[in-house]
Amino acid sequence: MRGPRGLPRLLAAVGLAGVGVALVATLAAAPAAAQSVNRAAIDNLNEQLLYVALPLVLFVEITLLYAVYRFRDNDDPKPTTKDSPLEITWTAVTGIILLFVGISAYFVLANPYITPAAASGPTVETQGDPVEIDVVAYQWGWEFRYPDANVTTQGEVVVPGAEASSSRCTPAT
């Protein structure tokens, strides 16, 4: 076993290795690619939140390692007494972080390409009655019934591109 002088070096090496693994994992693990017009906005939000989260994780881990090392031989631990400046500080910092995350997310979610009204796009003029589809939801799948054509499909809906459609969703009984 190492003596008391080797312990700080060991903790520093383990902490540094953990930080290195976290950085490599963060940079190597790209999020799933969004396949839409709002891909750039979502990727930008993800990157902004990463820049906020990574320093926080490092700060918490370093503080934790420091506390474990500093108080490892404390035979008579005492609880922390009321410390108003500390409580105000961590509450204010948490509020600032949440405000930043909320504002960043709002600008992405308020993007007109993400809202349902803009995503519906222009309406296509159709001729004739809409195709009616009765949708039945099961625990592990879907059933689509086309009463006009007397056809039923499992797990796959088929709608002609230039025709209007209306659907009714009911749970299986």
Side-chain angles (χ1 to χ4, degrees), residues 8-23 58 61-62 65:
R9 290 182 183 162
L10 178 65
L11 287 176
V14 169
L16 191 59
V19 169
V21 168
L23 280 173
L58 291 175
E61 290 302 317
I62 290 170
L65 287 173

Side-chain angles (χ1 to χ4, degrees), residues 19-31 46 50-51 54:
V19 169
V21 168
L23 280 173
V24 169
T26 302
L27 296 175
N46 187 33
L50 179 67
Y51 289 138
L54 192 59

Side-chain angles (χ1 to χ4, degrees), residues 56-68:
L56 291 175
V57 168
L58 291 175
F59 173 74
V60 168
E61 290 302 317
I62 290 170
T63 305
L64 180 63
L65 287 173
Y66 169 75
V68 166

Side-chain angles (χ1 to χ4, degrees), residues 31-165:
Q35 301 296 325
S36 64
V37 296
N38 54 4
R39 176 182 177 169
I42 293 171
D43 287 346
N44 190 25
L45 175 64
N46 187 33
E47 189 174 314
Q48 286 178 356
L49 295 180
L50 179 67
Y51 289 138
V52 170
L54 192 59
L56 291 175
V57 168
L58 291 175
F59 173 74
V60 168
E61 290 302 317
I62 290 170
T63 305
L64 180 63
L65 287 173
Y66 169 75
V68 166
Y69 176 72
R70 170 78 167 81
F71 301 107
R72 71 187 183 284
D73 291 328
N74 192 355
D75 293 331
D76 188 25
K78 292 187 171 56
T80 305
T81 59
K82 185 175 181 179
D83 189 359
S84 296
L86 178 64
E87 292 176 7
I88 291 170
T89 301
W90 80 45
T91 303
V93 168
T94 303
I96 291 168
I97 292 168
L98 290 176
L99 187 65
F100 172 78
V101 169
I103 290 171
S104 298
Y106 174 77
F107 285 118
V108 171
L109 295 174
N111 186 336
Y113 293 108
I114 297 174
T115 58
S120 63
T123 58
V124 177
E125 291 188 27
T126 61
Q127 297 177 5
D129 294 331
V131 175
E132 291 192 21
I133 305 169
D134 294 330
V135 181
V136 181
Y138 294 100
Q139 183 175 3
W140 303 112
W142 298 89
E143 182 177 286
F144 302 97
R145 299 177 184 159
Y146 304 86
D148 296 338
N150 198 20
V151 174
T152 301
T153 62
Q154 291 279 333
E156 184 176 336
V157 64
V158 179
V159 179
E163 292 187 35
S165 65

